Amino acid sequence: AFLVFGICGLFIIIITQIWSFIADVNISMNMSQSHHLFILTEYFVNQEKYFYWMLLHMYGVLCIGMIIMVATGTMLISYLQYTCGMFKIASYRIKHAVNINTKNITLENKVFMIENIICAIDIHRQAMKLSKHLVSSFEITLLCFTGGIVVFFTLNLYRVFQIASSKNNFNEFFLLIMYMAISSLYMFLANYMAQNIIDHNNHVFSTVYNVKWYRTPLHIQKVILFLLQRNTKKFVLNVGGIFEGSVEHFATLMKASVSYFTVIYSTR
């Protein structure tokens, strides 16, 4: 779905640009009209003569950039989904290790309990370590991406209101709306995946609370106690010590973007 959306977004951008050329031709059949690109670029050549070569270059850059962005995002999402699976495995092991026949606990059951709980704790620790390592590996990229999206969304929102007030240039208006939708979706996906990791981590502790751990032998209860104490420390995916990945944080970023737009629009 992530790849399909990226391809569709790029396809819409190209179709919008081509459609504007067709509309210009239909409006001015016998009049010479200069073409312009939606993305402002500077080429040290005759832009009218080499316009289509410039257009081809711009589309090539957009395609390469979109492929890199989608590939990187898909890879990161795959790793994070793998981490969610590790949290689920830890929850499953704890649930089935403790919820055995606790009324008639044999030595074999005790060994089974302790081995599965230790394995679950180790899997949980590895999942937390992996998720933090993934975020730290892309920390600079995510930090620049988040800040850039906020600035990009604010400026595009300001431009949309300018076009709406002047009631012209519908093609640019549509393109800006699409840019804002794509940037918002990418930021939402990033925060949603972080929220998904946090929810799976919390599910491990809720599983520990809900199992019949109080019926297990004392030494097994002590092992479970160490896991329960870990829940006192909040687990978050922090980017640069500034941004925390969560759906709530996504809403905060959107509110901040609208607030910045309000300030800019009121001081124009």
Side-chain angles (χ1 to χ4, degrees), residues 39 70 84-85 99 101 119 133 158 224 229 257:
I39 301 177
V70 171
C84 292
N99 287 342
N101 188 5
C119 184
H133 175 71
Y158 176 73
I224 296 176
Q229 288 178 341
S257 300

Side-chain angles (χ1 to χ4, degrees), residues 66-208:
M66 183 62 69
I67 290 172
I68 293 174
M69 183 181 296
V70 171
T72 305
T74 304
M75 181 183 66
L76 185 58
I77 288 176
S78 300
Y79 282 132
L80 293 176
Q81 285 292 101
Y82 174 77
T83 307
C84 292
M86 294 178 67
F87 283 120
K88 284 187 176 181
I89 292 173
S91 300
Y92 177 85
R93 280 185 172 272
I94 293 174
K95 182 178 179 180
H96 287 268
V98 178
N99 287 342
I100 61 175
N101 188 5
T102 54
K103 294 181 179 179
N104 185 19
I105 298 179
T106 62
L107 180 60
E108 183 180 356
N109 288 340
K110 289 182 181 180
V111 173
F112 176 80
M113 283 183 185
I114 197 68
E115 286 182 351
N116 278 273
I117 291 175
I118 291 175
C119 184
I121 293 174
D122 184 63
I123 293 174
H124 179 257
R125 181 180 60 83
Q126 292 292 340
M128 294 174 62
K129 184 178 179 181
L130 177 60
S131 57
K132 288 188 175 181
H133 175 71
L134 288 173
V135 173
S136 63
S137 299
F138 294 91
E139 186 172 20
I140 298 177
T141 303
L142 292 174
L143 189 63
C144 296
F145 175 78
T146 305
I149 287 294
V150 172
V151 175
F152 181 80
F153 188 89
T154 302
L155 296 179
N156 277 278
L157 187 60
Y158 176 73
R159 180 58 181 162
V160 164
F161 270 77
Q162 280 186 327
I163 296 174
S165 59
S166 61
K167 297 181 180 180
N168 58 8
N169 204 346
F170 174 77
N171 291 328
E172 184 181 359
F173 178 83
F174 174 76
L175 198 63
L176 290 173
I177 292 294
M178 191 183 64
Y179 285 160
M180 292 169 58
I182 293 175
S183 60
S184 301
L185 179 63
Y186 270 74
M187 188 161 59
F188 173 77
L189 286 175
N191 284 277
Y192 175 77
M193 288 307 303
Q195 183 68 56
N196 199 23
I197 292 289
I198 295 172
D199 292 341
H200 278 81
N201 176 70
N202 294 334
H203 179 68
V204 175
F205 296 108
S206 64
T207 301
V208 176

Side-chain angles (χ1 to χ4, degrees), residues 37-84:
L37 300 173
F38 283 126
I39 301 177
L40 296 178
T41 55
E42 183 176 356
Y43 293 88
F44 298 99
V45 294
N46 189 335
Q47 295 192 8
E48 288 296 325
K49 183 178 180 180
Y50 299 100
F51 173 77
Y52 291 102
W53 288 105
M54 293 162 51
L55 189 65
L56 180 63
H57 175 263
M58 185 188 72
Y59 288 159
V61 172
L62 285 176
C63 289
I64 294 173
M66 183 62 69
I67 290 172
I68 293 174
M69 183 181 296
V70 171
T72 305
T74 304
M75 181 183 66
L76 185 58
I77 288 176
S78 300
Y79 282 132
L80 293 176
Q81 285 292 101
Y82 174 77
T83 307
C84 292

